[in-house]
Amino acid sequence: MYTSEGKTGKPYVIANPIYDTVFKRLMENSRVAKFILGTILERQIEDLVVMPQEFTYKRDLTKTAERDKGEKSKTNKKIAESYNYYRISKLDFMATVRTDGSELRKILIEVQKTWHTGDVIRFRQYLGEQYVRENVIDGEAVILPITTIYILGNNLPEIDCPCVKVGRMYIDMRNKQPIDARSEFIEHLTHDSYVIQAGRITDVRYTTNLDKLLSIFEQKYFVKEDSETVKKYSYHPEDENMKLITNILHEMGVDPDESKLIEDEEKSLRYIDDCIDGELKEKNKTIKEKNKTIKEKNKTIKEQVEALKEKDEALKEERKAKEEQAMEIEELKRLLRKKR
């Protein structure tokens, strides 16, 4: 069913798919998931299985809070408590796909609304786990080639385009010519990657399937000034896949219960950002105080060195005066002996 608002040409409300809660709902629809992955990979997806992987920092943060003392402990407890408030703390999506060439491949999808120090380490750890994890295909355990997709809410400062493919090429190093053949060994140890920067989607042309897909991630036209959970969608798709996607997003955007889940995620993310920012400020404050203490110690040491130098100079002067006095006494003695 297509919304009547969409037909009339007026913008209508959709939920922002950069949130885990919303993206999960899209990927639960097989047709939508095939369209999203097929559009990004530029391959026809014949079959797929999507498995959201729930990831939480709760246990680690709780242990850290118990171990640490003072303000750091309070900050970590706040972060841990916020994950109790937002139960789906982070979802990593993994899909096993079969392409039009009957190739089986494992797709790892990261949707990252906000960025924190340490996220790259987490990505690498998760990627490493997937490289060694076997998949059961037709009752047989196999290790599949991997492709990664990153949908980022933040912008990479070095890259100004919204969608990037990081592809591999086989090159004969002797003649510098590309090699068309593919090796199972190489395919299992290296991978292609795709990066979508939602914040850089500003000039959607809405002509290709990629344009259409990027349009739902465009981070503009939010309905509420204090929230990025829902936005006005000004495109009016005729494509059946995009109609299905926008219908799902529209239903989530206007349904009170669904909106509550998205807003809970938004509040949690903001709370976590505030806690992490607070922790960073505390660390910077501590570093600043330590630098001040070191500076004061260095100043004290410098003053002590200067004082020692002055003391040495005074001792030298005193020794010189005594030597001169001794010389004068010896001269007087000599004159007295001469008079006798």
Side-chain angles (χ1 to χ4, degrees), residues 40 148 150 156 159-167 193-197 210 214:
I40 296 173
T148 57
Y150 301 99
L156 304 176
I159 309 295
D160 59 5
C161 61
C163 195
V164 181
K165 176 182 179 180
V166 183
S193 185
Y194 299 80
V195 180
I196 294 175
Q197 301 184 84
L210 181 60
L214 292 179

Side-chain angles (χ1 to χ4, degrees), residues 4 7 33 37 79 82 90 97 119 140 154 174 190 196 226 230-231 278 294 304 311 316 334:
S4 59
K7 286 182 177 179
L37 296 185
I79 298 173
S82 71
K90 185 73 188 78
V97 306
D119 280 333
E140 181 182 356
N154 65 297
R174 294 173 302 167
T190 59
I196 294 175
D226 61 342
V230 293
K231 65 193 192 77
I294 292 171
Q304 290 175 344
K311 188 175 181 180
K316 286 180 182 179
R334 187 183 69 77

